[in-house]
Amino acid sequence: STFTPRSEHKIAWVLYLQGNLDASVAAVNAFLQTRPDAPETADAAFLLGLLRTAQGDYEGAQAQFQRVADQYP
């Protein structure tokens, strides 16, 4: 179903917005591994950068945002 990837993506965002960063990271990583061709992949990769920033991993965030810029221009 086309709703499954969208739902998985939204769950990761909800977890992030609730402040449940570790669960959101896990959800994003699972999404990126299982849904590499989904339309939401670029946004999920961007969310991973936001999560790294929220966790204080600024170097990891910068690297993640650079990957997003390189892979999804």
Side-chain angles (χ1 to χ4, degrees), residues 1-12 31 35 38-40:
S1 166
T2 60
F3 294 110
T4 303
R6 205 171 310 152
S7 297
E8 292 170 353
H9 173 253
K10 293 293 182 194
I11 287 169
F31 178 86
R35 311 274 186 203
E40 299 84 6

Side-chain angles (χ1 to χ4, degrees), residues 15-72:
L15 291 167
Y16 167 70
L17 293 172
Q18 290 176 335
N20 195 342
L21 303 181
D22 291 337
S24 184
V25 168
V28 170
N29 284 330
F31 178 86
L32 292 172
Q33 288 177 357
T34 60
R35 311 274 186 203
D37 297 324
E40 299 84 6
T41 300
D43 189 71
F46 180 80
L47 175 55
L48 191 54
L50 292 177
L51 285 159
R52 294 197 194 291
T53 301
Q55 292 177 318
D57 178 9
Y58 302 113
E59 288 181 20
Q62 181 181 10
Q64 182 62 29
F65 289 133
Q66 188 61 57
R67 275 193 291 279
V68 171
D70 292 343
Q71 291 178 349
Y72 311 101

